[in-house]
Amino acid sequence: MIQDYEEQILDLIDAMVETASDDELFASGYLRGHISLAAADCEQDGVDDIEALKVCVDGSLKNNANELSPADQVLVANLWASLQAKAG
């Protein structure tokens, strides 16, 4: 389940590349890394629950918030919320 969800989210990111603003491209690239890492961690731990993946991504973003300016944190958080809503 997690692998399918990750693929769906990454496909949504790929689909937005042609029309995305520079800010959206930055946020999507940053978020892609966190999603892929969280999915790999879940898989390694034998977890196959999408909600667990979302919690892992949220935790990763929170734990690494110091990497981003407050404005960039908002961009990434908004994109993550939007992608989750689209992926269902």
Side-chain angles (χ1 to χ4, degrees):
M1 287 176 49
I2 284 181
Q3 185 176 6
D4 292 338
Y5 187 76
E6 176 193 14
E7 187 174 312
Q8 189 177 12
I9 293 284
L10 297 181
D11 286 347
L12 288 168
I13 290 173
D14 289 345
M16 65 183 272
V17 168
E18 290 184 25
T19 59
S21 68
D22 288 345
D23 285 342
E24 291 169 329
L25 289 173
F26 164 76
S28 66
Y30 184 82
L31 191 54
R32 177 186 287 274
H34 286 274
I35 292 167
S36 295
L37 182 60
D41 287 346
C42 285
E43 187 176 339
Q44 183 177 352
D45 294 341
V47 175
D48 197 32
D49 178 61
I50 292 171
E51 290 306 313
L53 172 66
K54 291 177 183 180
V55 168
C56 191
V57 172
D58 290 340
S60 180
L61 292 173
K62 182 179 177 184
N63 292 339
N64 294 286
N66 63 328
E67 295 178 343
L68 302 175
S69 70
D72 286 343
Q73 290 176 31
V74 170
L75 282 172
V76 171
N78 289 343
L79 178 59
W80 176 225
S82 173
L83 291 169
Q84 289 178 80
K86 290 177 183 175

